Amino acid sequence: MKKTTSKRMFTFGLVLLILVLAACAPLYAPVYTVILLTSILMYMTIAVSWALFSGPTGYISLASAAFFGAGIYTSAILGKALPLPLVIVVGALASFCLALLVGALTLRLKGIYFVMFTFGLVELLLHFILWWEVTICGTTGRVVPPAGNATVFYAMLIILVILVLTVFIIRRSRYGLALFSIGENEEAAAHAGVHVTVLKIIIFAVSALFMGAAGAAMATRWTYIDPRIAFNPLISFMPVLMAIFGGIRPLYGPIIGAAIFTYLEEFLITRFPYYYMLIFGIIMVVAILYMPDGLVGLIQRLWKGISGRKHADT
Amino acid sequence: MGSYMMVTILDVVISGLLLGGIYAVTAVGLSLQYGVARVLNIAHGEFIMLGAFITYSLYTRFGINPLICFAICGPLVFAVGFILYRTLFTRLRMSSPTPGAFEGNSMLACFGLLFIIQNVAILIWGADIKGYTYLAFPVDLWGARFAANRLVTLGFALAICLVFYLFLANTRLGKAIRAAAQDPDTAGLMGVRINQVLALCFGFGALMAGLGGALISISYKIQPTMGLEYTMIALIVIVLGGLGSIPGSFVGGLVLGLVGSIVTHIEPGLSLVAYYVIFMLLLLIKPTGILGK
Amino acid sequence: MLQIHNINTFYGKAQALYDLSLSVEASEIVALVGSNGAGKTTLLKTLSGLLRPASGRVVFLEKRIDGRPSYAVVEAGISHIPEGRRLFPDMSVRENLEMGAYLQRAWKQKGESLEEIYRLLPVLKAREGQLAGTLSGGEQQMVALGRGLMSKPRLCMIDEPSSGLAPVMVDEIFHIIEGLRDQGIAIFLVEQNVRHTLEIADRAYVIENGRIILAGKSEQLLSEELIRKAYLGL
Amino acid sequence: KEAAVKDKIRIGQAISLSGPLAGAVAIAGGPIYELWVEEVNKNGGIYVKEYGKKLPVELIRYDDKSDIGTMTNLLEKLILEDKVDFVFPPWGTAWLFAAAPIANKYGYILIGGPGGALKLKELSLPYFFQVLNFSETQAPALADIFKGVGVKSVAVISRGDLHGIEYGNAMVPYFKKKGIDVKMNKSFPPGIKDLSPMLKEAKSLNVDAFVAAAYPDGGMLLTGQAMELGIDFNAFFISVLPFSPKLYRGTFGAQGVEGVMGGGAWNAKTSPGAKELVDKFVARFKEEPDYWGGLYYWSSLQHFQQAIEKAGTLNQKKIRDIMAKEKFNTALGPFWYDKDRYFVNHPGEIGQWQKGVFEVIDPGPKRTAPPEYPKPPWPKK
Amino acid sequence: MPILEGRGVTRYFGGLAAVSDVDFQVEQGEVLGLIGPNGAGKTTLFNLISAALSPRSGSITFRGKEITDLKPYQICRMGLARTFQTVKIFGNMSVLDNVLLGAFFGGEGRIASADAAEAAASALEFVGLAEAAAIPARDLTLANQKRLEVARALATRPELLLLDEMMEGLNPTEVNRAMGLVKMIQDKGITVVMIEHVMKAIMSVCGRIMVLHHGAKIAEGTPQEVSTNRTVIEVYFGERADASDS
Ligand SMILES: Nc1ncnc2c1ncn2[C@@H]1O[C@H](COP(=O)(O)OP(=O)(O)OP(=O)(O)O)[C@@H](O)[C@H]1O
Ligand SMILES: Nc1ncnc2c1ncn2[C@@H]1O[C@H](COP(=O)(O)OP(=O)(O)OP(=O)(O)O)[C@@H](O)[C@H]1O
Ligand SMILES: [Mg+2]
Ligand SMILES: [Mg+2]
C-alpha cells in the first residue's frame, strides 16, 4: 500500500517536473527547439485524443484530419476577428459538433467499415469545400494571421495538459471501464447496462474537441491554408502510427510514440534528405518486429526485468 | 435525338466501366490480403507502383509489349509478397498477443514497407512523372468512341478477376483461404498449412496489385509516389463491395467507376465528392457493403 | 497407437500439465474425465499442436508428433474436435463440413463422407446452406462433430461432444461414437457426462490439476468411491 | 573574428523530395538551383568584399514530404538552427504563401521560384521577390494569339484550385474582349481520373480552341485521352505542362505534341544566355531544362549574385535594397523588379511545340516563331 | 401480476419461424425452466426478451411495463439481466472489471464507486471466482467464463435473471453445486428463467417448466407433468427419459 503511494508520488513529481521544464522552454531554449516542441505537442495532442476514443473501443478512426481541419478552418475564418484563445475555443466546439453529427451517423459501422467511413469523411470534406470555394466563392485558400512561436507553443501546451487531465479522469471513471468493454464485446456491454451509442458518440466528440483546438492553434503557423492543407490525410494516419508505435493502452503510450516519431523523423529528414524514408521505414519494420506490443510493452518488459517483480499485467 | 441520347448513355456507361475495371483489379488483391491474411496493407499501392514501373521500364528500355510484361512482373511481385509474408508477417503474427494487435502491428509494418519501397523506387526511377503511349488510338463502338488501350485494359481486368474468382470459389486451396480468414487455429485443425496459405494469399494479393499496376501504366501516367492514392481507392472499393468478397470488390469497382463517369458528365467539379457521397451513403444503408454478408 | 510420455505444458509461466503420460490403442474408446479446469482441453490442444509441450514425447503410429504444427498432426491421422465448436461462422454448414475433408486423401471422397454425415445427423442436411454462425448452440455442436469425422481419421479426439445437446441428441451422439469404434477408429473422449461415458468407454483416465490420478477399466472406475463422489454427484 | 572563419556561403532550401509534389519538383525548377550552385563554385564562389575573398556556396536541402507544416518547421530550422546565410524557396504556390512571411519575419530574402499567385501581392512582404509570370500576363497574350490566328470559339476547363481559378478567371474576360466566344467553362477536381467527358463535350460544341488550366497530372491525362480518342482542336493549350521537354515531349514524342501550346515560355533562341543555360543543363542532367521558369530562376539567381557582390556583404537588408532597385544583366538580358518586387521582363508568355522545339509565339519581339494554326491532328498510330 | 409476460411473441429468420406465437408468464420469485430440442428457439426467445433481437409481432411486458421497443441497456437497467449461451465476456479485461462494469451500469441511477466495488466483489464471491479476480477473463476455462457471466449479471442487481445453459460443460458433481447456486439466487428474491439440457438440474430446481419445439410452446407445467408428457418425451427426452439423473 505504502509502496504504491510513494510510487504514485514519484510519478506525480516527475510529471510536474517535466511540465515545469516544458513550460519554461521558451525562456531558455533556442527558438527552433520551441518550434520543434510545438509540433511534438501537436502530434501528442492528436495521438492522445485519438487514443482516448479509438484505443479502448477498437474503433480505428481516420477522421482526425477532419476534426483538425475544422479547427484550422475556424482559425482561417475567425482569425482576424477574434483573439487566439477564443478562436481555439470556437475551433474546438466546431469540431465537437462535427463529431457529434458524424458519430451519430457512423458509429453503428464496425471494423474496417468504420475506418473507411471516417477516411471518406476527410476526403469528402476536402473535395466538397474545394468545390464550394472554387465554384461558389470563386476563390480558394485563405490567409491566417500568424501568431508568435511562443504563443503557439503555450497554446498547444495548455491544450495538451487539459487533454491529458481529461483522459486521465475519463479513464479512471466508470466510463473508462465502459469504453474498454465496448472494445471487447459491444453486445455484452449493452446487456450489462451500458448505453453504448451515447457513450461512443460523446467520447468520439470529446476526442474531436481537442483535435479541433489543436488545429485552430496550429493554423497560425502556416499563414496560408486551403482545403488540401487543412484536410491532409497524413494528419489522420500519423497519430495512429504513433499510438501503435508507442502502445495504445496506457495514456503515456501515444505521448511517447508521438515524441519519438516526430523527433526521429525530423532528425532523419535533416540528416539524410534522400534516404530518410528508407531508414525510417526500416526502423519501423524492425521496431515492430522486436516490440510487438509497442514501445510501452518494451518499457514494461524492461522494467519488470529490472524490478524483478512478477506482475499480472494485461 | 433519341439515338444521340443512346450514344451519350452508352458513352457514359462504358467510360465508367473502363475506369471501374481498373479499380476492380487493384481492389481484388487488397481484399485478399486484408480479408484473409488480415494485413491491412497500406503499401498495396506501392506494389501497384512496382508493377507499373517494371512494365514501364521493360517497354521503354527493351520494347517488350506491356501485355507480355504481365508474365514477367506478375510473378516478380508475387515473389516479393510471398517472401515478405513468410519472413516478416508470419513472425509478427506469432509474436502479436491478439489478432487485433496483429492487425495494428502489421499495418505499422506496412507503413514501413511503404516508405522503403517508395524510397527505393525514387532512387531507381527518380521522383518525376513518367508515361508512355501504347495502343493510343480510338475505337468506334456503336457510334461512341473509346480508347483502344482502355478497352484492352478492361478486357484484361475482367479476365483476371474472373479467373481469380473461379480459383477461390472452386478449389480446395480457395476454401482453405476462406477458412483461414475466419479462424486460423481451427483451420489448422482441419489440416490447413496456415502460414503457407496466408503467405500465398498475400502473394496473390501482391500479384493482383502488380498486374493492376501494369494495366494502369498503359492508360495513366505513373510516379513513385502514386501508391497511396490507389491504396485508398482500393480500400474504398473493397469496403463498398463487401469485405472479403471477390465479386463484391469487382462490383464495387464498377459501381465507383460508373458513379464517377455519370457525375463527371453532369458536373465534373463534383465527381470526387460524388465518390465519397455514394460510398458513405451505401455504407449507411448497407453497413457491410454491397455484396457483404 | 498413441503414446504420451511425461508431457509438461505451460500457459506463459503457469504450468497446466505435469509429467502426464497415457496411451490409446486402436479400436478403443478411452475416456478422460476430470473436473472443471483440470487440464483436459489443454491436453488435447497439446496433442493437436495448438499448444507446444515444454517437454515430453508424443508418439502416434511410431512417429513423433509433439511440437509439430496442427496440420502435420492432422495429416498423421488425428482429428481434434475442439471445445466450444469453433466453426467457421461465415461459411455455410456444408462448407464447414467440406473443410473437414481438407486433407488430400479425404478431399477425394468428400461427397461420400458428406452423405454419411447427413445420414448420421439428418438435422444438418436440412440446414445445409445456413451460415454456421447463425445456428443454434446444439446445431453447431453437431456440425463440429460432423466436420471432425470428415477427415477420415485413425484417431478422433473429441472435447465434450454432448455439451449443449438435448437429451435425445446426447443418446444419439454416444451411439455415433460407439459406431465409430466399431469401424475401427480409436476415440479419445473428454466428457462431463461421466456415467454415460464410462458406460461406453473401454478404459478411462482421471485427471486432476494437470496430473493423472487414476486409470483403469471403465467398469472398475464406475464403482470407485472417489469417482462416484467427485464426478457422478452421488 | 567571425569574418576570419567564414569560408563559405550556406544556403538552405526545404523542398518536396518525396510525396505527391516530388514529381513536379523534379521536372520544373528543382534542378536549376543545383546547377547554379555548381556553376558558382566552378568559378570559385561569390566575391564578398567584407571578407575580401570569393566564398563558395553550399546548398543544404531538406525534404518537406510535400507537407506544409513540415516545410515551415524546416525553414525555421534552417534559419534559426543551421543559421544559413540565405534561403531558397520551396516548391508550389501554397508553400510560397507559408514560406514568405516566415522568411520575412526573420529578415531573410526569399526569391520566389516555381509557384506564386496574385494574392501574394496582398501580403506586401518587403523581403519577398516574385519571378514567375502568371495569368495576368499570360492571359492577354494568349487572347492576342488566338485573335491573330482566327480562333472564334473556345472551351475552358480549369483545375479546382488556386491555379485553376486564377487562370480561368483571368482568361475568360480577355477572350470575350477579343470577341472570342467562350462556349464552355468548367472546373474539375484535382485527382480526377477521367477527363474524356469534357473533351467530348467541347468537341460536340465544335470549338476552335481547347484551353486547360491544369497541372502536370491532369495535363498528361488530358493529352493522353485526347490522343487516344482522336479528339482534335485547332488549338490546344495547357497552362502548366507542355514546357517540360522531358515529361511532355518525352512521353508523347515530338510528333505527338506538335502544335500544342503551353504557358512559359523561352527557348535557346531567346538570348545567348538562354542558349548557354540549355547547353549547361543538358551537359549536366542529360536532358533539356523546363521552358517555363528555368531561365527565370536562373537569371534571378544571377541577379541575386550580382546584388551580393555589389553589397559586398552578406547582410540581408543591404542586399535586399540593392535587389529591389538595381537592374543587372543576366542570361535573359536585363533583370529588375517593379515596385512590388515582381519581376517584369519575361522572355515569353506562351509557347508552342513546333518540330520538337518549344517556340515562343507571343506577338512582338519575344516571338521565336509564328504560331502554327490549325494544330495538326494527333498522330494516328 | 406476473413479473414477465409475453403475448404472441413471434420471430422469423427468413422463412423459418424460430419463435412463433409464444405466450408465457413468469411469476415473481419462481424458477422457470425452458427446455426443448436443439434449434427449438429457446435462445431466440431470450434474445427477444432482452432486446438483442426485435420480435416480428407480439408484446413483452416486464413488471407491467411494455419493453418490446426498448434497447438492451434500458432493459438491463430495469432489472432484467441475462447470460449468453456462447459466452460474451470482456476477454482482455480482468475478471473483476468484467463484473464491476455490470455493477456500475446495470442498476437504475448512479452508484458510488465503493458500493460498486463491493457489489462486484460479492458477486464474484457468490459464484466462486473470487480468487480469479485479477486474471484476464480470457484465461478462464469455458465453464468459469459462464460463471463469470452469471456474476456480471448478478452485479447489475437484477430482479429477473435469464440463464442460457449455464451448466453446459459441468460434470454431475459440479452440476449439483451449480444447482445450489441457482437456489441461492432464488433465495435472494431474484426470479430466474433458465435454459438447460441437464435434466437433473431442471427437474429439481425449477418450479415450472415450459417446453418449446419448432418455435412453438408444446407443453408447460410442473416437472412432473412435463416429464410424463408423451410429446415431450418423444421430441426431447428420448427413450432414456428415466435416466434423468445422468
Ligand atoms: N489461455 C490460458 N491462459 C492461462 N491459463 C489457462 C488458459 N487456458 C486455460 N488455462 C488454465 O489451465 C487450466 C486447465 O484448463 P483446461 O481448459 O485444460 O481445463 P479443462 O479440464 O478442459 O476444463 P473444462 O472442464 O472447464 O473444459 C485451468 O486452470 C485454466 O485456468
Ligand atoms: N440469425 C439467424 N439466421 C437464420 N437462422 C437462425 C438465426 N438465428 C437462429 N436461427 C435458427 O433459429 C432456430 C432457433 O435457434 P435458437 O438458437 O433459438 O435455438 P435453441 O433453442 O437455443 O437451441 P440450442 O438448444 O441448440 O441452443 C435454429 O434452427 C437456428 O438455426
Ligand atoms: Mg475443457
Ligand atoms: Mg440456445
Side-chain angles (χ1 to χ4, degrees), chain D residues 3-279:
Chain D
V5 297
K6 188 88 193 164
D7 56 359
K8 62 187 172 198
I9 298 175
R10 293 160 72 244
I11 305 183
Q13 185 172 33
I15 197 164
S16 310
L17 302 174
S18 68
L21 279 185
V25 172
I27 59 159
I32 288 283
Y33 295 93
E34 296 164 45
L35 185 67
W36 179 77
V37 169
E38 287 167 12
E39 191 64 20
V40 167
N41 290 341
K42 220 182 275 166
N43 296 326
I46 300 175
Y47 180 77
V48 185
K49 187 147 157 258
E50 195 178 11
Y51 305 103
K53 62 178 174 189
K54 278 190 168 182
L55 294 177
V57 175
E58 182 193 18
L59 181 62
I60 300 168
R61 262 198 178 168
Y62 293 155
D63 177 14
D64 69 21
K65 310 182 291 179
S66 304
D67 172 50
I68 283 216
T70 309
M71 189 278 292
T72 53
N73 277 4
L74 291 175
L75 186 62
E76 299 208 58
K77 177 182 165 66
L78 285 166
I79 294 173
L80 294 167
E81 278 252 302
D82 302 341
K83 302 202 166 43
V84 293
D85 298 296
F86 300 106
V87 291
F88 278 168
W91 199 99
T93 301
W95 276 253
L96 267 185
F97 258 109
I102 291 177
N104 205 64
K105 178 167 78 183
Y106 296 108
Y108 269 65
I109 296 164
L110 189 74
I111 307 169
L118 287 177
K119 266 195 177 177
L120 256 169
K121 249 184 213 173
E122 295 164 17
L123 298 182
S124 70
L125 303 165
Y127 283 85
F128 178 65
F129 294 82
Q130 174 66 47
V131 292
L132 223 54
N133 49 346
F134 285 111
S135 54
E136 82 276 18
T137 53
Q138 291 182 344
L142 186 62
D144 281 345
I145 295 167
F146 279 1
K147 178 78 188 164
V149 296
V151 169
K152 297 273 180 302
S153 59
V154 45
V156 179
I157 67 168
S158 42
R159 189 178 209 257
D161 67 355
L162 195 57
H163 170 82
I165 292 173
E166 282 209 7
Y167 269 74
N169 288 351
M171 285 186 296
V172 170
Y174 283 107
F175 289 151
K176 289 199 172 133
K177 214 189 289 168
K178 297 281 174 192
I180 299 168
D181 189 7
V182 180
K183 286 197 176 167
M184 171 178 152
N185 185 5
K186 289 201 167 169
S187 88
F188 62 91
I192 195 169
K193 285 259 164 284
D194 184 8
L195 288 167
S196 65
M198 306 178 105
L199 284 165
K200 287 175 178 170
E201 186 181 343
K203 190 69 202 166
S204 71
L205 294 170
N206 233 336
V207 295
D208 291 322
F210 190 89
V211 170
Y215 273 179
D217 53 350
M220 291 298 283
L221 182 64
L222 189 70
T223 312
Q225 291 200 297
M227 195 180 281
E228 290 162 5
L229 295 169
I231 297 177
D232 290 301
F233 300 95
N234 291 339
F236 191 77
F237 172 89
I238 300 173
S239 59
V240 184
L241 170 63
F243 63 78
S244 170
K246 182 182 181 190
L247 176 56
Y248 203 58
R249 194 186 57 196
T251 301
F252 298 109
Q255 209 198 340
V257 301
E258 180 68 23
V260 175
M261 300 180 193
W266 62 280
N267 59 44
K269 291 184 261 179
T270 296
S271 69
K275 166 115 182 52
E276 205 180 319
L277 173 60
V278 173
D279 292 343

Side-chain angles (χ1 to χ4, degrees), chain C residues 34-37 83 85 127 136-139 142 160 163-169 171 192 196 199 229-233, chain E residues 16 36-39 85 141-144 147 165 168-174 176 197 199 235-238 240 246:
Chain C
S35 50
N36 202 234
E83 184 182 49
R85 295 132 199 181
R127 309 223 154 268
S136 86
E139 290 163 349
M142 293 180 229
E160 307 200 6
S163 83
L165 292 182
V168 232
M169 275 317 298
D171 293 347
Q192 298 292 16
H196 210 152
E199 278 173 16
K229 260 231 190 74
Y231 306 108
L232 292 173
Chain E
L16 175 86
N38 297 118
Q85 181 175 8
T141 61
L142 209 54
N144 279 341
R147 261 185 223 151
E165 297 203 29
E168 185 184 331
L170 300 184
N171 69 37
T173 305
E174 290 159 346
N176 286 346
H197 289 303
M199 279 312 104
V235 303
Y236 188 63
F237 294 116
R240 277 171 60 109
S246 71

